[in-house]
């Protein structure tokens, strides 16, 4: 299926997609805050500039968009049919970078949790995931 937008319109739409303070990220942050945890956000000193850093607990949380980070098996991560080669290459690079960043952080002694965008839709399940992670 061809894109229904002109290249200029598609570029305009894509330029408005945020990389920080997204709705899923804000949901995770507010849930953590209600659970009593305090954290830093987007620490540029650490590899990958993690979304949430709980220094006191030596824990990091990344909140990944299912499409942008290639969440395997998730319907939100379906690859577009138009310009398939471009998107496949872009998302593959994102996955490689994510894996490299996670390995590097773990080598520095950090525990890393990935929360997927689709996991933020169920508040009770999200709380349980965060509770288990913080207790580990």
């Amino acid at each position: 299926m061809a894109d229904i937008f002109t290249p200029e319109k598609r570029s305009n739409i894509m330029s408005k997609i945020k990389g920080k303070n997204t709705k899923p990220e804000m949901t995770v942050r507010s849930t953590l805050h209600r659970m009593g945890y305090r954290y830093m956000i987007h620490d540029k000193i650490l590899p990958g500039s993690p979304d949430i850093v709980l220094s006191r607990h030596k824990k990091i949380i990344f909140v990944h968009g299912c499409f942008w980070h290639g969440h395997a098996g998730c319907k939100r991560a379906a690859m577009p049919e138009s310009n398939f080669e471009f998107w496949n290459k872009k998302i593959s690079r994102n996955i490689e970078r994510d894996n490299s960043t996670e390995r590097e952080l773990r080598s520095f002694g950090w525990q890393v949790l990935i929360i997927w965008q689709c996991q933020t839709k169920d508040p009770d399940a999200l709380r349980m995931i965060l509770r288990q992670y913080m207790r580990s």
Side-chain angles (χ1 to χ4, degrees):
M1 175 189 218
D3 196 347
I4 61 172
F5 297 111
T6 65
E8 295 78 24
K9 178 68 175 169
R10 175 61 62 199
S11 178
N12 188 329
I13 291 169
M14 298 304 281
S15 72
K16 292 182 179 4
I17 296 173
K18 298 190 313 182
K20 294 181 181 175
N21 303 318
T22 61
K23 186 174 180 181
E25 187 181 322
M26 299 301 283
T27 299
V28 173
R29 285 171 26 190
S30 67
T31 302
L32 270 174
H33 194 270
R34 282 193 306 271
M35 292 169 68
Y37 293 102
R38 301 302 175 255
Y39 47 82
M40 295 185 318
I41 59 172
H42 311 127
D43 188 343
K44 290 179 177 33
I45 294 171
L46 293 170
S49 186
D51 297 321
I52 301 169
V53 179
L54 297 119
S55 303
R56 189 167 164 197
H57 304 279
K58 201 80 170 153
K59 295 182 185 260
I60 286 175
I61 300 173
F62 285 99
V63 183
H64 284 340
C66 296
F67 173 74
W68 297 105
H69 296 269
H71 187 195
C74 180
K75 66 179 181 180
R76 295 171 193 270
M79 196 66 66
E81 292 177 15
S82 64
N83 210 0
F84 178 83
E85 193 173 311
F86 167 81
W87 287 111
N88 190 44
K89 188 174 173 184
K90 178 169 185 58
I91 292 170
S92 293
R93 281 193 318 258
N94 288 350
I95 293 168
E96 288 172 22
R97 187 188 63 238
D98 293 342
N99 291 337
S100 173
T101 298
E102 187 174 341
R103 278 192 305 275
E104 191 173 0
L105 288 165
R106 289 183 191 282
S107 75
F108 294 145
W110 291 92
Q111 292 181 28
V112 179
L113 174 68
I114 306 297
I115 297 284
W116 293 98
Q117 171 188 0
C118 60
Q119 292 176 304
T120 65
K121 302 298 179 192
D122 182 346
D124 294 331
L126 178 61
R127 247 188 320 278
M128 186 167 28
I129 290 167
L130 292 171
R131 192 175 302 121
Q132 286 176 339
Y133 177 61
M134 294 309 295
R135 287 183 181 163
S136 67

